[in-house]
Amino acid sequence: MPQTTGERYRVAPVHRRGREWPFPLNLYQTAVGRKWVMALTGIGLIGFVVAHMIGNLHVYEGPARMHEYAETLRTIGGGLVPKGTVLWLLRAGLLAMFVLHLHSAISLARMSRASSEQAGLVSGAKKYPGGRDHVAATYASRTMRWTGPIIALFILYHLADLTWGWWLDDDFVPGDPYHNVAESLGNLPVAILYIVANVALAWHIFHGAWSMFQSLGVNNPRYNHLRRSLATLVAGLILVGNLSFPILTQAGLITEDERSCPVGEVIGNACLAEQAKDH
Amino acid sequence: MSGSNGTTINVTLKVWRQAGPDAPGGFEVHQQAISTDASFLEMLDQLNEQLNDDGNEPVAFESDCREGICGTCGVMINGRAHGPQKATATCQLHMREFRDGDEITIEPFRAAGFPVVRDLAVDRSPLDAIIESGGYISVNAGAASDANLTPVPKAAADTAFDAAACIGCGACVAACPNSAAQLFTSAKIGHLGLLPQGQAERWSRTEAMVETMEEFFGSCTNHGECSEACPKEISLDFIAFMNRDYLKAKVKNRSLAGQR
Ligand code: SF4
Ligand code: FES
């Protein structure tokens, strides 16, 4: 160690540490702590994506069952709380996880970018003027900071499309997701957009679901090989499930041809509810 | 390969030249005819003698032990830290890894925490800063104690030894797209954190070393490039160990704060 020189180290810190916040907030001030947050919120978000995908499989049971599923989500908690309360709480939690996941990702990317003399603007990946050779990094790990923003933008589109009904306009019927899905995904460019975004999502999860084990320090040489398998399985399931919606809609499986109820928020939905009950 | 049955190959070197930390840098091209028995650094020595004879400034690069144990050497060779051979420091790389007519790009290890001093030499003192922040360990100094007085489980001894193999070369940082120093730091933390002798200061050491690391380097995204580049094949498992210990350290150092 150069303890004989006047200044002990000639290299000035690249990142300055601020005043420490009280525990446990101080964890979020460090990169390792932020990776914990990213991993934990990642688990929650993957949980949502899986549940969302499985729930949406109801679409293959027809408009009545899909309507019933949507209603069930609003009535979680039964008569104990006003309708929609639990759903809104879940949504708030989801939003919080999403914001934390995004904020930690963006701030850590910025930290990495500042840690190299030259780095990619989005990826934050260090650049070598003579070029470099990647040996271990997967294509998925290297594109996390690209797939992430793609997913975020897609989520906004998806909400505007099937939750707020911005582009379907008069065709959008609240409470009749089967109809809305058939309308939206029946459109080829929209279906392609969903396919691209969901490939990005599975890609992101393929690395994320492995990476989180490392971030959380879940490491046991005896079981480590299972971490990659699990990540592949989760990403694969999500990919197959989510891609089925646009593809099968395009293939004509989700169609309103055999529908016996009229489409409409009042009469139509009431008819769907009746049908679901008879089932 | 046995004896000296090396042949001579001709290679084109694209070497990074930079007069000083703030000077602009660029590649300089040189031709070299070199025996395949020569080591990579001997090839650079030969180049430097030529440059010297021609009255030119030799290429600055660092080396010391030249047997893969000191961690002084280390350059990017064709886009890989320490070159193409796995588990091999630059000084242990031989020209037999290259073919006649090859073009070899040689660059310094890069990171904002490793500013270029000159040509291929970079300042890696932030790694020293990380080590120093780890502080001391408490051991009985006095009459030498008997051997094996402190029992160490075999598995812990083996793993600690694996971590202790880190030579502090900085290839992990150089290879990391994030310029993160997780592999180096976790090797140091894992080394002492696994042994009974390191337990007394385990939590304060982990906290201090991680936080010093974060003053200089980027954030790990688990690419795994570090371990591939590492001449000692330090495992990514140590990074997980460090992440776990860091969180525990934050909790423990807080609950012990009243007693400190
Ligand atoms: S972990 Fe490996 S690559 Fe990093 S400094 Fe130690 S020996 Fe070098
Ligand atoms: S010169 Fe000592 S490790 Fe290469």
Side-chain angles (χ1 to χ4, degrees), chain B residues 6-251:
Chain B
T7 50
T8 298
I9 56 172
N10 288 296
V11 290
T12 307
L13 304 180
K14 262 178 76 186
V15 192
W16 186 264
R17 302 303 305 263
Q18 183 171 340
D22 302 315
F27 288 105
E28 204 175 83
V29 179
H30 294 280
Q31 307 291 335
Q32 284 289 299
I34 186 83
S35 158
T36 52
D37 278 342
S39 78
F40 194 84
L41 295 184
E42 281 164 348
M43 189 263 302
L44 288 182
D45 289 337
Q46 180 184 294
L47 169 70
N48 277 348
E49 272 175 38
Q50 245 174 49
L51 288 171
N52 218 7
D53 290 348
D54 298 344
N56 293 321
E57 195 65 38
V59 178
F61 68 91
E62 284 187 278
S63 77
D64 189 15
C65 71
R66 297 210 175 188
E67 55 181 6
I69 54 170
C70 73
T72 310
C73 65
V75 289
M76 295 296 285
I77 303 166
N78 286 341
R80 293 217 205 159
H82 288 306
Q85 199 176 9
K86 206 168 150 47
T88 308
T90 303
C91 60
Q92 294 279 282
L93 180 69
H94 283 76
M95 292 313 292
R96 65 182 76 97
E97 296 299 316
F98 299 91
R99 299 278 146 273
D100 192 40
D102 274 2
E103 186 181 275
I104 306 174
T105 306
I106 310 170
E107 260 194 88
F109 281 177
R110 292 189 192 276
F114 285 175
V116 172
V117 178
R118 188 188 184 92
D119 299 336
L120 304 174
V122 297
D123 188 337
R124 285 166 291 182
S125 60
L127 298 186
D128 298 331
I130 295 174
I131 300 246
E132 195 191 271
S133 71
Y136 52 82
I137 59 162
S138 298
V139 290
N140 281 329
S145 53
D146 288 342
N148 301 328
L149 207 58
T150 311
V152 184
K154 169 92 167 91
D158 287 350
T159 314
F161 199 80
D162 286 346
C166 165
I167 53 175
C169 62
C172 42
V173 176
C176 178
N178 296 305
S179 297
Q182 249 76 358
L183 196 65
F184 166 81
T185 312
S186 69
K188 300 305 170 200
I189 286 176
H191 168 201
L192 288 170
L194 285 159
L195 293 174
Q197 291 88 340
Q199 294 309 305
E201 294 85 10
R202 177 170 174 182
W203 309 109
S204 53
R205 178 175 57 244
T206 302
E207 187 177 1
M209 289 179 86
V210 168
E211 285 167 18
T212 306
M213 166 185 86
E214 291 186 359
E215 287 182 24
F216 294 96
F217 299 105
S219 170
C220 173
T221 56
N222 300 315
H223 283 300
E225 286 291 331
C226 50
S227 191
E228 280 297 320
C230 174
K232 300 297 154 188
E233 298 187 284
I234 301 291
S235 162
L236 295 180
D237 298 351
F238 290 108
I239 297 182
F241 178 88
M242 174 178 80
N243 290 341
R244 193 167 59 213
D245 258 23
Y246 180 71
L247 198 89
K248 284 192 201 161
K250 280 308 232 194
V251 176

Side-chain angles (χ1 to χ4, degrees), chain A residues 17 115-116 126 132 141 211 217, chain B residues 110 112 175 179 215 222-223:
Chain A
R17 232 190 300 170
S115 301
S116 304
K126 173 163 55 196
R132 66 159 302 165
S141 76
S211 174
Chain B
R110 292 189 192 276
S179 297
E215 287 182 24
N222 300 315
H223 283 300

Side-chain angles (χ1 to χ4, degrees), chain A residues 164-186:
Chain A
W164 306 322
W166 283 4
W167 0 106
L168 287 181
D169 232 356
D170 287 346
D171 275 337
F172 182 78
V173 182
D176 192 351
Y178 187 95
H179 165 79
N180 297 333
V181 167
E183 281 289 329
S184 170
L185 295 185

Side-chain angles (χ1 to χ4, degrees), chain A residues 143-156 193 196-201:
Chain A
T143 49
M144 288 303 268
R145 290 168 185 157
W146 284 100
T147 49
I150 290 175
I151 296 163
L153 290 176
F154 169 73
I155 289 173
L156 288 178
L193 187 93
V196 170
N198 277 294
V199 169
L201 177 65

